[in-house]
Amino acid sequence: MSIKLDMVGIVVKDMKRALDFYRTLGFDISSDWDNQAHVEVNQDGVRLAFDTVEVATSVYGLWEEPTGHRIELAFTCESAKALNDLYQRVMDQGYASHKEPWDAFWGQRYAILKDPDGNLISLFSDNI
């Protein structure tokens, strides 16, 4: 028996704000879904789901605000310039940075953002 990762789920406090952030990253998400309690998108074979706190509470029986490092999503960028440009576009929209772009010792251009719910979002490029 083997398993395959099928979906990454994220619990959000404000669906529209969360979806706007992921739209800024480049996800094609219809604005018709801004008021939904559950949204799923599939980008390049990766399914990403968003659930409101109310949905999470109904599924798990309760919801306690997580603390500390919870989840990190990492997105590859085609070049260091593309990474820098995307990072700046996200900053220009008023979202939070965890760590601005830098050339990492392991050979990648790297930056870390925070989505509206505090999840760490890594951007990286193998082409420095």
Side-chain angles (χ1 to χ4, degrees):
M1 179 174 125
S2 65
I3 62 171
K4 176 186 170 196
L5 180 63
D6 181 69
M7 181 185 76
V8 173
I10 300 173
V11 177
V12 302
K13 294 176 192 165
D14 180 330
M15 185 64 78
K16 180 183 182 324
R17 180 133 171 89
L19 296 181
D20 282 345
F21 174 84
Y22 287 92
R23 287 181 188 112
T24 302
L25 288 181
F27 281 79
D28 182 20
I29 305 171
S30 171
S31 61
D32 293 342
W33 298 345
D34 286 351
N35 296 313
Q36 299 296 313
H38 174 83
V39 173
E40 288 186 24
V41 297
N42 190 320
Q43 185 151 327
D44 298 326
V46 176
R47 194 163 56 128
L48 193 57
F50 304 90
D51 288 310
T52 62
V53 169
E54 294 78 16
V55 168
T57 301
S58 72
V59 170
Y60 303 121
L62 60 95
W63 178 255
E64 294 181 24
E65 182 67 26
T67 59
H69 183 69
R70 301 172 289 198
I71 185 173
E72 177 185 8
L73 302 177
F75 296 96
T76 186
C77 299
E78 64 187 34
S79 67
K81 181 182 182 328
L83 182 150
N84 293 340
D85 291 348
L86 177 56
Y87 177 88
Q88 191 57 55
R89 190 165 54 248
V90 171
M91 293 299 95
D92 290 347
Q93 292 295 317
Y95 296 107
S97 173
H98 181 75
K99 191 168 182 182
E100 65 186 31
W102 82 99
D103 293 333
F105 69 87
W106 56 86
Q108 293 177 322
R109 183 73 173 164
Y110 217 89
I112 305 172
L113 306 166
K114 287 185 180 179
D115 79 2
D117 294 285
N119 298 302
L120 297 181
I121 307 300
S122 291
L123 306 176
F124 69 93
S125 174
D126 292 328
N127 301 313
I128 295 180

